[in-house]
Amino acid sequence: MRTAYQEQLEGLNTVLGEMCDLAGAAMARATQALLQADLAVAEEVITDNDRMTQLSARAEEQAFALLALQAPVAGDLRGIVSGFQIVADIDRMGALALHVAKVARRRHPAKALPEEVNGYFAEMGRLAVQLAKNAREVLTNQNPEDALRLQEDDDAMDDLHKHLFTVLMDREWKHGVAAAVDVTLLGRYYERFADHAVLIGRRVVFQATGKTPEQFQEVS
């Protein structure tokens, strides 16, 4: 029975890892569409979101099967409940990449971003993709220390997000209200994408140790 549980839980984490890969790839392409005003790439991101929906449903089915068939208790139950939460986190990451692509599509053929903020979003996109990759890795290795390191890239994302507001509040801003709204919303999408990746790391710490990240750091 225990072996069957472990195999099913590993199967669930494999699907969650695939979802992380999809979310990262979607954000990479959405960022490309945003920076280059590439309508075809934006449409690909929007169309391919169906795959994320399918994997999300599959992951939830596997988690429900674990609950129904294995009658888990204590640590086993903790792992499954965290799995449900991680499904929601990754699903949201995919939705945020979708939002970025939709902004690029809505503004086409114009670029949604003024030239002076392109560098910010190129770096935010890079960080988002890296966070999705790292989240996938910690889901696979269940290493709580690696999971905690997701916070470092999130801190870098937060710094970029704060600097964006410095640009928006500058008296030299000459791109109007619509562009300011787009930049504000887009910055928030990238920030929230990173936040959900960090939440995945926190949940992996709990899965692996039974402790919150703060409790784990106190004893480690």
Side-chain angles (χ1 to χ4, degrees), residues 65-111:
L66 276 164
L67 281 175
L69 300 178
Q70 301 296 340
V73 295
D76 293 346
L77 181 60
R78 179 179 69 229
I80 298 170
V81 170
S82 294
F84 278 113
Q85 294 171 320
I86 292 169
V87 171
D89 286 321
I90 308 173
D91 202 42
R92 188 59 188 152
M93 289 164 70
L96 289 160
L98 187 65
H99 291 335
V100 173
K102 286 182 176 179
V103 172
R105 182 177 67 174
R106 185 170 67 247
R107 295 302 181 194
H108 187 269
K111 290 185 176 181

Side-chain angles (χ1 to χ4, degrees), residues 3-31:
T3 300
Y5 167 80
Q6 288 295 341
E7 289 176 351
Q8 286 180 278
L9 187 59
E10 287 174 10
L12 172 59
N13 280 335
T14 296
V15 176
L16 294 175
E18 290 178 33
M19 290 176 67
C20 279
D21 285 343
L22 277 181
M27 187 56 95
R29 288 184 296 156
T31 302

Side-chain angles (χ1 to χ4, degrees), residues 19 22 48-59 91:
M19 290 176 67
L22 277 181
D48 290 351
N49 190 62
D50 287 345
R51 176 61 178 158
M52 179 67 83
T53 301
Q54 292 167 3
L55 282 178
S56 179
R58 182 174 153 197
D91 202 42

Side-chain angles (χ1 to χ4, degrees), residues 6 9 20 24 53 70 74 79 86 91 94 99 103 108 112 120 126-127 131 134 155 161 165 181 191 203-204 212:
Q6 288 295 341
L9 187 59
C20 279
T53 301
Q70 301 296 340
I86 292 169
D91 202 42
H99 291 335
V103 172
H108 187 269
Y120 288 95
R126 186 194 70 78
L127 285 171
L131 277 159
N134 292 346
D155 290 342
H161 189 237
F165 282 99
V181 170
E191 182 198 33
R203 301 192 203 289
V204 168
T212 66

